Amino acid sequence: MNGNRMHLVRFAVALAAVLPASASKANSVELEATHGATIAREAAWIASGIPFAKGQLRDASRLTVAVGGRAIPAQFTPLAPWEDGSVRWALMDTRVALPAEGAVKMALTDAGKNPAPAQPVALKQGSDAVTVTTGPLALVLSTKQPGLIQSLSVDGRERITRAGKGPVLTTVDGKEVAAAAPDTVVVERNGPMRAIVCLRGGFPGVHNGLLKYTARFHVFAGQSYVKVEFWLENQGADGRGKTKPEWFAFDSLALDFGVGLGDGVKAHCEGVSAAAPFRVLQICRKGEGRNVPHYTDENFVYTIRSGTETVKEGERTDGLVRLQGSAGALTVGIRHFWQNYEKAIEYDGNALRLWLWPTEGEWPRPAGGFGSRYARRLSKMFAKNRYMLPGSVHKGHEFILDVSDRPVEAVAADLSQPAFARAPAEHYARTDAMPGLFVAGPIATGNRTADFKLRGVERMGTVVADPAHEGSLFSARREHSRFHLGYLTDQSYWHGWMDFGDLSVPGKGHVSLHYDWPML
């Protein structure tokens, strides 16, 4: 669960007895920025949603945020309106210096004096490419050619080149299929603080045209890194009921980037340096013993190899890799590297490959005990040493490409410990902008049945956010069930690329949100 969600859960406890009340004043919202990283950050990026009551805010462009009484550069984007057209949610993009594991007070007003950043984002959309600059960084995304990134440079020096193939899929029969050039290119945000460019396309000749990808690039004012979100998308049917399953079987998938770092490139990871060919791999091995989940938290292992030599082994790694050559450095990392096993990062002397599905993995992991007709149908498709992407599933990963010379710890913090600004709990409750999250408090209708159910909702909402309760989200993160025939007999519970992010309910196995979200 990411930091933002945990913050929301924590202050939900404080709202158990808070009734929706009159809206707080539009021109004054106190915020507190936190990040949890153990290092101080000179320019921690903050992207936080701020809610407003109906009719409270008409123009998000008038919003201003200040630290210590001084307005700082920020960008405010309306995300959702109320029925009367007023702003229900506004996304704040800004950056602020944060002490190690510390917090900073911020004041949000509608004074309309938001200063511009010293190095604003500039975007140019041409017929063949989209170019985004942030001051030191320049990113060029091809709109007509495959490979995604045409160039990534800092201070005029290219670190990623057009030699990369982009997303490369390996089929079950060993054939490599590179993703096609994007079908659509959309500039989703183009502001002085942050720009977002979204590329969508497919894999030619694969899965009857049902296999797609989405790549979303985020660039930030004055910064020398790019955050990328990449989704592999199966547009086929899940196969429940009488529908034919359109699951997709494949061997592996990597994102391939050309690298221009000069001579003598060394890879640095987990305190060791290695020459190319370099590879860091995170897996989870099968557990042993009867009535033990097949894959457990005790069976993680990572290896770092240089050529055929293993230079380091351990239990878990965040997988941050720094490539350093005579012409500069490039730091890369995949968020939730070990939690979303299997994962690998590889550099062969010419190309950098982010293995989102490395050849060493498989899912579902074959095991007996298929009970339902649906499960029996699917079991016929399973095979060792290959992945199955279920029909209708879009699996996403986030990674960072940093072309600065700053420490790896700072890059890791930007990737995995994003800063977050939150208002007092009462502000969220009083705006009524997200009523489903909060416990409404002791409401009585006079109807016995309705009041009984309201008490149940109140207890459930309070329990889920109580760290001491065995039924809370906190407990679910800590606990793992005993042997249980879970989703298609895969016993990954909580970690693994397919079910990371689901809840592990003690005694019942993990609960997959991919049932709940479509229903909602």
Side-chain angles (χ1 to χ4, degrees):
M1 180 175 289
N2 62 37
N4 294 7
R5 290 182 184 175
M6 291 307 302
H7 285 309
L8 294 176
V9 167
R10 289 190 184 104
F11 63 66
V13 178
L15 295 172
V18 176
L19 288 170
S22 60
S24 53
K25 294 180 180 179
N27 60 0
S28 180
V29 180
E30 295 299 320
L31 303 173
E32 183 180 69
T34 59
H35 65 136
T38 57
I39 62 171
R41 298 162 75 174
E42 295 180 0
W45 200 270
I46 294 174
S48 298
I50 312 297
F52 297 91
K54 186 176 181 180
Q56 182 177 1
L57 178 68
R58 295 289 175 181
D59 185 3
S61 67
R62 292 192 55 80
L63 291 173
T64 300
V65 65
V67 176
R70 185 175 182 177
I72 61 175
Q75 174 180 318
F76 295 92
T77 306
L79 294 182
W82 287 98
E83 295 87 345
D84 64 355
S86 60
V87 178
R88 182 168 182 166
W89 282 93
L91 176 65
M92 178 181 70
D93 278 298
T94 188
R95 67 175 191 256
V96 66
L98 289 174
E101 298 182 317
V104 168
K105 298 292 185 181
M106 309 172 74
L108 182 69
T109 68
D110 58 359
K113 298 179 181 179
N114 187 40
Q119 295 177 306
V121 174
L123 185 146
K124 180 181 178 181
Q125 191 166 10
S127 59
D128 297 326
V130 175
T131 302
V132 190
T133 58
T134 69
L137 177 141
L139 171 68
V140 182
L141 303 173
S142 177
T143 61
K144 297 291 182 65
Q145 300 294 326
L148 299 183
I149 296 180
Q150 185 171 320
S151 175
L152 180 63
S153 59
V154 60
D155 298 327
R157 299 188 299 272
E158 193 172 48
R159 303 289 172 80
I160 291 182
T161 72
R162 69 179 63 201
K165 299 177 183 177
V168 179
L169 174 82
T170 303
T171 64
V172 291
D173 56 2
K175 179 183 177 182
E176 284 194 355
V177 180
D183 299 325
T184 60
V185 178
V186 178
V187 176
E188 296 182 335
R189 194 162 302 151
N190 185 10
M193 296 298 292
R194 175 161 59 144
I196 304 175
V197 183
C198 181
L199 281 60
R200 287 190 169 95
F203 292 82
V206 173
H207 196 38
N208 297 318
L210 296 174
L211 192 67
K212 305 292 184 179
Y213 70 84
T214 294
R216 186 170 276 111
F217 294 81
H218 299 249
V219 293
F220 308 88
Q223 303 302 295
S224 297
Y225 64 87
V226 178
K227 277 190 176 181
V228 187
E229 299 162 330
F230 179 86
W231 282 268
L232 183 65
E233 305 170 355
N234 185 350
Q235 307 285 1
D238 178 62
R240 297 186 181 275
K242 297 181 180 180
T243 306
K244 179 182 178 181
E246 293 177 306
W247 290 35
F248 177 66
F250 63 105
D251 177 75
S252 59
L253 184 139
L255 304 181
D256 182 281
F257 299 107
V259 176
L261 299 176
D263 301 324
V265 177
K266 285 288 189 68
H268 307 269
C269 182
E270 292 290 346
V272 300
S273 299
F278 162 89
R279 183 178 173 93
V280 54
L281 169 70
Q282 176 75 62
I283 63 173
C284 184
R285 292 172 175 163
K286 185 176 180 180
E288 298 179 356
R290 187 177 181 182
N291 293 337
V292 174
H294 298 148
Y295 294 82
T296 75
D297 277 353
E298 288 72 42
N299 301 118
F300 284 96
V301 61
Y302 75 84
T303 56
I304 300 176
R305 299 178 68 86
S306 177
T308 59
E309 178 187 2
T310 298
V311 295
K312 188 169 184 178
E313 285 186 333
E315 185 177 354
R316 295 174 173 89
T317 177
D318 290 329
L320 269 290
V321 175
R322 183 179 181 85
L323 301 177
Q324 181 74 55
S326 61
L330 169 65
T331 304
V332 60
I334 304 171
R335 192 175 185 187
H336 299 138
F337 188 82
W338 67 264
Q339 295 95 328
N340 265 317
Y341 71 88
E342 293 80 7
K343 289 289 174 284
I345 296 177
E346 177 182 26
Y347 175 68
D348 67 1
N350 295 304
L352 168 70
R353 297 184 183 90
L354 309 185
W355 290 93
L356 304 182
W357 286 272
T359 57
E360 291 84 354
E362 64 183 17
W363 190 89
R365 300 171 180 91
F370 291 93
S372 69
R373 179 184 302 175
Y374 171 68
R376 289 196 299 270
R377 289 173 65 191
L378 295 176
S379 68
K380 298 177 181 179
M381 300 188 296
F382 299 163
K384 193 172 180 60
N385 299 324
R386 73 179 185 184
Y387 301 101
M388 298 290 295
L389 184 66
S392 77
V393 166
H394 296 191
K395 173 60 182 180
H397 295 87
E398 181 180 353
F399 62 94
I400 192 169
L401 300 170
D402 188 292
V403 291
S404 71
D405 294 322
R406 61 186 182 142
V408 171
E409 294 78 10
V411 181
D414 282 334
L415 174 64
S416 298
Q417 293 179 297
F420 182 71
R422 68 181 188 272
E426 292 80 6
H427 174 76
Y428 295 89
R430 289 170 180 166
T431 64
D432 204 29
M434 49 180 189
L437 178 65
F438 301 106
V439 179
I443 300 175
T445 67
N447 180 285
R448 181 178 179 181
T449 301
D451 289 346
F452 175 79
K453 292 183 177 180
L454 282 170
R455 296 292 78 74
V457 172
E458 182 181 351
R459 286 193 300 272
M460 182 173 63
T462 304
V463 161
V464 77
D466 181 2
H469 198 283
E470 65 178 7
S472 70
L473 290 173
F474 302 94
S475 176
R477 296 188 72 193
R478 292 190 301 265
E479 299 295 331
H480 296 273
S481 70
R482 297 181 180 275
F483 182 79
H484 170 73
L485 289 179
Y487 182 68
L488 301 182
T489 73
D490 179 73
Q491 306 302 320
S492 304
Y493 295 129
W494 185 248
H495 298 301
W497 73 267
M498 183 56 191
D499 65 352
F500 175 66
D502 297 336
L503 304 180
S504 180
V505 180
K508 294 185 179 180
H510 69 268
V511 179
S512 178
L513 295 180
H514 77 256
Y515 292 115
D516 301 328
W517 288 118
M519 290 171 59
L520 291 173

